[in-house]
């Protein structure tokens, strides 16, 4: 198989949200750091699956032997931006045994009676695991901000609480990868229409998507503020252009690969004498 | 792509445990109902992935629209038989969003203070989901029987409780697929040695596996009795020959496909007027 076109610059750098970042300044149709075309991207995605799976298995194996390392991918986006595709096509390549996926929905009455982080803490990945949040505690500073369900003071409290919470996760051994899939308002329209034009996609359509769509600019403001308040050195945000689904997928895959490579994962050393065990098995 | 060699007879029939079944009478190296070779099996596995994923997505979609249908795959086996491979290579093809995987370990102190089904009920798949039990409530009539942790009377109570429990799951809309991966004692020896010969597999080796291996015949007896007591019309057992990993994978894949095909799944009909919504999206 020919070698697939790889990233010239890692998305961990080129897509990272730094000081002064603004969503208005980035192009949701761009492919930063990647010179290949769609076909190249698809080849790259497939070619890297095995590496991703191997690294994830090493993480899992280390976890069984006392390592506290773990990974948490946080996915946020406007509707139709492709969170589901990331889960299916990027996360899906990993071994289900090592993945803890949580799709956060509107909170239940019980959840609402607690602090907003109460239900999130319970879903933090265990040692050795890859946690994936499809939506997250960031909804509490996004949709809540847009609709005024939390006032300015409460929002400030939440940004600080999020940073404290994520800092504690990092201290526990978590590498946090925060991703906002960035589609344009026009691309969302196309995708909503495509859902309506395909009966096998009707179940994914909801009038609610249209309601939120009307608040597009408010959401962009809420995202920009969330980035400003919570894109920290220990848990930076990455804004992934997502008008091209194939690009978003390889970019997130590369973010996961880079995060896992950074953990210097090793197969756990045997805590037994191999020759002794071999002899015992032979005799059994 | 050439059409892959398919099953001549469905494993749902040929591998089903009926009255008078005995593990001693089946060959763990056989490939019942399948005339193809290893390469054919691998092609079939890959070729059916898309169909499995589509059916699972339909199940998930129906669940969102009020259907109570769901699937539960129960995997039991001696160590090294390949449960992990089934999870990774068969279940792994499905969308993680629609899969609820639970690997049951030795019970915690809290779990032990409850009835053996207490922790299992909590993991029953929700409507629309595919649940996968890697080990299950059957451990409570297998390892418990082998080591005498439950007496004859308690075991009888458990068989009956299991049948009641599974009957209730079925009444709730669950299709239960029970699979025992059947390897030979000699094949297990080979696989344990292979683990010891590969440093990247050392973390999977445990002296405990060897301890249980010494009780092989007792386990076979415990399985035979469990089959006799719990292979019911509504939730039959299937014994899948597993010395050939590729065969076990296509057999379990086919069991899942047959179970899902049997549910007459349909994409949910739109509960909205498509033209109206289209116009609203266009204007938005």
């Amino acid at each position: 198989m020919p070698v697939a076109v790889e990233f010239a610059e890692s998305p961990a750098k080129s897509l990272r949200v730094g000081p002064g970042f603004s969503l208005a300044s980035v192009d949701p149709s761009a492919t930063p750091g990647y010179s290949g075309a769609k076909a190249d991207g698809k080849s790259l995605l497939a070619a890297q699956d095995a590496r991703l799976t191997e690294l994830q298995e090493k993480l899992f194996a280390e976890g069984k032997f006392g390592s506290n390392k773990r990974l948490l991918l946080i996915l946020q986006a406007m509707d139709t931006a492709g969170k589901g595709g990331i889960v299916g096509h990027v996360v899906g390549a990993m071994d289900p045994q090592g993945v803890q996926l949580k799709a956060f929905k509107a909170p239940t009455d019980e959840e609402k009676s607690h602090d907003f982080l109460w239900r999130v803490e319970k879903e933090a990945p265990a040692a050795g695991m890859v946690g994936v949040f499809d939506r997250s505690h960031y909804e509490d500073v996004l949709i809540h901000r847009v609709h005024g369900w939390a006032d300015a003071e409460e929002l400030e409290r939440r940004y600080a609480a999020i940073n404290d919470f994520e800092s504690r996760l990092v201290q526990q051994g978590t590498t946090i990868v925060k991703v906002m899939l960035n589609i344009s308002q026009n691309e969302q329209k196309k995708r909503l229409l495509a859902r309506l034009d395909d009966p096998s996609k009707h179940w994914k359509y909801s009038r609610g998507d249209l309601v939120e769509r009307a608040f597009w600019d408010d959401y962009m403001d809420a995202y920009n503020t969330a980035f400003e308040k919570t894109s920290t050195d220990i848990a930076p945000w990455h804004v992934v252009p997502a008008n091209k689904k194939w690009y978003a997928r390889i970019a997130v895959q590369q973010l996961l690969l880079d995060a896992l490579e950074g953990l210097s994962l090793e197969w756990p050393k045997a805590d037994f004498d191999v020759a002794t065990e071999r002899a015992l098995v032979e005799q059994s």
Side-chain angles (χ1 to χ4, degrees), chain A residues 7 11 20 47 56 65 76 122 143 161 170 189 201 232 234 244 249-250 266 273 284:
Chain A
F7 275 91
Q56 179 241 317
F65 280 70
Q76 285 289 155
K122 292 196 283 187
I143 190 170
V170 170
K189 179 185 283 193
K201 298 276 167 59
T232 57
I234 56 159
K244 294 185 169 74
R249 290 173 189 174
I250 56 171
E266 300 284 351
D273 182 63
S284 70

Side-chain angles (χ1 to χ4, degrees), chain A residues 6-28:
Chain A
E6 298 184 359
F7 275 91
E9 188 184 31
S10 167
K13 284 189 183 169
S14 56
L15 304 182
R16 180 173 175 145
V17 173
F21 174 88
S22 167
L23 274 172
S25 70
V26 294
D27 176 4

Side-chain angles (χ1 to χ4, degrees), chain A residues 198-219:
Chain A
D198 178 352
S200 81
K201 298 276 167 59
H202 282 172
W203 67 279
K204 292 186 177 183
Y205 178 83
S206 156
R207 173 70 68 85
D209 297 352
L210 214 48
V211 174
E212 299 309 319
R213 173 172 166 77
F215 292 93
W216 192 273
D217 292 344
D218 295 332
Y219 270 105

